Amino acid sequence: MGGREFRESARVSGKVTIVVRDARDPDRVLKTVELDNVITDGGLQIIRDRVASPWSSRYWCLALGTGTGTPARSDTALFAEIPTTRKAGSIYLPAYNQVQYYVRYMPEEANGYTYTELGVFENTSSDLTGGTLFNHLLISPPLSKTPDILVDFYVTITFG
């Protein structure tokens, strides 16, 4: 190439979409919030490991918390996780360069807290304990979970 060095730069970014629905009529959307999130150093390590060994078995979950602070790449845990909110869901490939984690909290789940943060944990045990914090974000405005609502979380990771 004429002596010029060619270099591609890769970027990983995350976005979370929170959809709050009426528990009596799940087609009725009460609120939608989109937020950027921090991909942690642990998350980048997991991406590297998946490329090196894509067929390994895995467990993952989404967790909610009530902590405050500024998420950083070096985070290894939520600031104040509520352990009973750990929940596995589905993984989709919505576009050639995206992976999307999806979890729905039903009306009877995760009630009684005002959540201010969330994170996805990869490489958990089969009972969803432990694991590596993949991403971390503050929920703004905070989300009060009651039996009157169900909540969908879409955590989209984009490679580009």
Side-chain angles (χ1 to χ4, degrees):
M1 300 215 110
R4 285 181 53 185
E5 181 180 329
F6 178 74
R7 217 154 83 157
E8 279 193 56
S9 59
R11 183 183 140 113
V12 180
S13 61
K15 181 170 290 297
V16 174
T17 304
I18 303 169
V19 181
V20 179
R21 299 173 184 276
D22 185 315
R24 291 176 298 287
D25 179 9
D27 290 332
R28 184 171 167 239
V29 173
L30 302 174
K31 176 172 53 170
T32 301
V33 178
E34 284 193 358
L35 303 163
D36 292 328
N37 68 71
V38 172
I39 306 299
T40 65
D41 291 335
L44 294 173
Q45 179 76 30
I46 286 168
I47 292 167
R48 186 207 69 163
D49 292 348
R50 291 284 180 253
V51 171
S53 181
W55 314 128
S56 61
S57 63
R58 69 193 252 211
Y59 295 98
W60 69 274
C61 68
L62 187 138
L64 300 170
T66 58
T68 59
T70 302
R73 283 184 46 185
S74 59
D75 291 348
T76 58
L78 297 185
F79 300 125
E81 180 181 340
I82 305 299
T84 56
T85 65
R86 283 189 173 225
K87 185 171 181 178
S90 304
I91 296 179
Y92 300 98
L93 303 171
Y96 78 95
N97 66 334
Q98 293 181 327
V99 174
Q100 185 176 77
Y101 297 86
Y102 168 75
V103 171
R104 172 176 274 183
Y105 288 90
M106 299 303 288
E108 66 275 9
E109 296 177 310
N111 293 319
Y113 293 95
T114 297
Y115 296 107
T116 56
E117 61 178 331
L118 74 75
V120 169
F121 287 83
E122 274 274 7
N123 297 335
T124 67
S125 300
S126 59
D127 65 357
L128 305 183
T129 58
T132 301
L133 182 64
F134 188 93
N135 74 316
H136 191 188
L137 112 116
L138 291 183
I139 300 171
S140 178
L143 172 66
S144 295
K145 179 66 176 72
T146 67
D148 298 330
I149 60 173
L150 60 89
V151 183
D152 294 325
F153 290 93
Y154 301 88
V155 179
T156 305
I157 309 301
T158 301
F159 306 92

